[in-house]
Amino acid sequence: MGKITYVTSESVTEGHPDKVCDQISDAILDELIGQDPDSRVAVECLTTTGSVHVAGEVTTNGYVDVQKVARDTLREIGYTDPKFGIDCDDAGVWVAIHAQSPDISQGVTAETSESKDQGAGDQGMMYGFACNETPELMPLPIILAHKLTRRLAYVRKEGIIPHLGPDGKSQVSIVYDDGKPVKATAIVIAQQHKSQISEEELKTKVMEHVIKPICKDFMDEETNIHINATGSFLIGGPEGDTGVTGRKIIVDTYGGVGRHGGGAFSGKDPSKVDRSGAYAARYVAKNIVAAGLADRCEVQLSYCIGVAKPTSVNVDCSGTNKIPEEKIAELVKKHFPLTPRWINETLKLKRPIYKKTAAYGHFGRDDEDFLWEKTDKAEALKKEAGL
């Protein structure tokens, strides 16, 4: 047995209050960018018992009925019963949106920027990550955690387990032997429910219909299972916990594996490199791993507001690289220009594709619209690396 380490990641369902806010923010973005692809959008939400508050900056030729979008999103998630503390028809929706600052706009707009190219919408650093321990080239703990929360939503909406609420969470702990995942040592589920289902029935059905279908290949008799460990989970959603856009950035990315630049994604149009830069960094890292240049790869990008070219590009393969990291970095700069314009055009980011990113992770998803998950550069990278 080699070096033993443990990695734990969590996920939340679409009914978690923070995710409610992410989805409303991105639904507003989708509505605007679908009408005007050049819309500048930075919208955030806060939700608590019986209310949704929407604020931010928008410059667009489109129009969005924020009240309708918020209510439709609550309805799709499943907040249709006042017993859950918020419902789509009776919730109060407050809106405070104004135009984007012209000081930002002049640096982002190509015609007015110093480089005459589209500049970054802000400064900051973004990280992308990939590893070869799952088919999705993602860390195993976050993939399992997302699959569990997706399954919780599925059994609720399909009525497979009755009397469930929209709010829920998962957590998975994986033991690694010399960097290779071995098994799950702990699986945690928290699922909102109504009083009509007993704690014992809930635990039995979650184990049968959620945990085993997802995690059976990674479990043994020593795996610790915790389902609603405090007992009942009757009060959840915005009534149980105030939600805010952008408060689940680790759930959105790699589950705590690798680093994070700190910028949230949801509610931001792709001129904001917090979002587009992180998507591009994932695209780069995934292609490096898919090409066999490394078993795991973390890419860091940084930008200056109003400037097109990144201020730095760094590649860290944690010693798993098959060729020198300096060579990999050279290949990245050759094949991935990484300016905001290039990112937007290559990944086709000026499309209404964002609401579906806002729950169950932005990465490791099999969706034809998520072009940052493509490995179309891998063959060229492999050939030039001589592998």
Side-chain angles (χ1 to χ4, degrees):
M1 184 175 290
K3 181 181 179 182
I4 299 299
T5 55
Y6 297 84
V7 177
T8 300
S9 297
E10 70 163 350
S11 178
V12 299
T13 66
E14 62 210 64
H16 185 281
D18 293 329
K19 278 290 145 205
V20 170
C21 291
D22 286 344
Q23 289 166 93
I24 292 173
S25 295
D26 273 338
I28 292 169
L29 170 61
D30 277 355
E31 185 65 27
L32 291 172
I33 208 168
Q35 299 173 50
D36 175 8
D38 293 319
S39 294
R40 302 279 171 74
V41 181
V43 170
E44 301 182 56
C45 296
L46 177 148
T47 184
T48 185
T49 306
S51 63
V52 176
H53 303 256
V54 183
E57 301 81 49
V58 170
T59 300
T60 182
N61 291 317
Y63 169 77
V64 58
D65 184 339
V66 176
Q67 291 254 352
K68 183 178 186 303
V69 168
R71 295 185 192 284
D72 287 349
T73 303
L74 288 171
R75 184 177 293 106
E76 290 169 16
I77 291 169
Y79 281 113
T80 57
D81 188 338
K83 291 181 180 178
F84 290 136
I86 190 170
D87 71 286
C88 56
D89 295 317
D90 298 321
V93 181
W94 283 262
V95 183
I97 293 176
H98 59 273
Q100 182 187 55
S101 163
D103 295 338
I104 296 174
S105 180
Q106 68 180 353
V108 177
T109 303
E111 290 74 17
T112 56
S113 70
E114 184 176 340
S115 64
K116 301 304 178 185
D117 192 3
Q118 179 184 338
D122 202 352
Q123 69 177 47
M125 61 282 189
M126 305 86 216
Y127 288 92
F129 182 82
C131 60
N132 62 6
E133 63 190 59
T134 63
E136 299 89 351
L137 302 187
M138 289 281 288
L140 179 61
I142 190 65
I143 286 292
L144 291 179
H146 283 322
K147 287 182 177 180
L148 286 169
T149 50
R150 273 190 176 276
R151 185 72 183 173
L152 285 174
Y154 175 77
V155 300
R156 168 175 63 90
K157 293 179 177 180
E158 295 296 318
I160 296 171
I161 303 178
H163 310 302
L164 299 186
D167 196 0
K169 301 177 76 172
S170 70
Q171 184 173 287
V172 179
S173 299
I174 298 291
V175 61
Y176 286 73
D177 186 350
D178 272 345
K180 303 295 183 183
V182 178
K183 68 172 184 175
T185 58
I187 299 169
V188 179
I189 296 289
Q191 174 59 52
Q192 184 186 18
H193 61 96
K194 296 180 181 179
S195 58
Q196 288 94 324
I197 186 170
S198 68
E199 294 176 24
E200 195 58 42
E201 182 184 2
L202 177 71
K203 290 180 179 181
T204 298
K205 290 191 172 181
V206 166
M207 179 61 123
E208 178 185 356
H209 296 292
V210 178
I211 294 177
K212 285 184 178 178
I214 300 300
C215 298
K216 61 182 177 181
D217 293 340
F218 304 96
M219 296 166 55
D220 61 18
E221 65 278 0
E222 296 181 343
T223 302
N224 292 311
I225 308 294
H226 303 280
I227 303 169
N228 284 9
T230 63
S232 62
F233 184 4
L234 298 173
I235 300 174
E239 182 182 21
D241 184 18
T242 297
V244 180
T245 297
R247 207 159 56 180
K248 284 290 175 284
I249 58 176
I250 301 303
V251 171
D252 285 343
T253 52
Y254 307 101
V257 177
R259 287 167 282 194
H260 195 294
F265 299 157
S266 290
K268 297 176 181 177
D269 75 85
S271 74
K272 281 76 172 172
V273 285
D274 278 342
R275 179 169 223 160
S276 56
Y279 289 175
R282 163 65 176 173
Y283 181 47
V284 174
K286 188 173 184 181
N287 275 274
I288 288 170
V289 173
L293 274 59
D295 294 336
R296 58 190 286 139
C297 178
E298 181 182 78
V299 173
Q300 186 204 52
L301 309 178
S302 66
Y303 291 89
C304 173
I305 188 168
V307 178
K309 291 184 178 180
T311 52
S312 68
V313 178
N314 187 65
V315 177
D316 183 353
C317 298
S318 302
T320 68
N321 46 296
K322 306 303 188 291
I323 63 173
E325 285 181 340
E326 295 80 3
K327 174 65 174 176
I328 297 176
E330 289 175 9
L331 291 173
V332 168
K333 292 174 182 177
K334 177 179 179 180
H335 291 275
F336 304 89
L338 295 171
T339 64
R341 183 193 297 275
W342 180 88
I343 294 170
N344 286 336
E345 291 177 352
T346 301
L347 303 182
K348 295 181 171 57
L349 296 181
K350 291 186 176 184
R351 296 176 294 149
I353 60 172
Y354 295 105
K355 184 181 177 184
K356 56 186 175 181
T357 70
Y360 311 116
H362 294 244
F363 308 122
R365 303 268 296 273
D366 183 15
D367 189 301
E368 62 182 10
D369 286 328
F370 297 178
L371 299 184
W372 51 91
E373 291 297 315
K374 292 182 69 174
T375 54
D376 54 335
K377 301 281 189 179
E379 194 58 41
L381 292 173
K382 183 176 182 179
K383 183 177 180 180
E384 289 201 39
L387 298 178

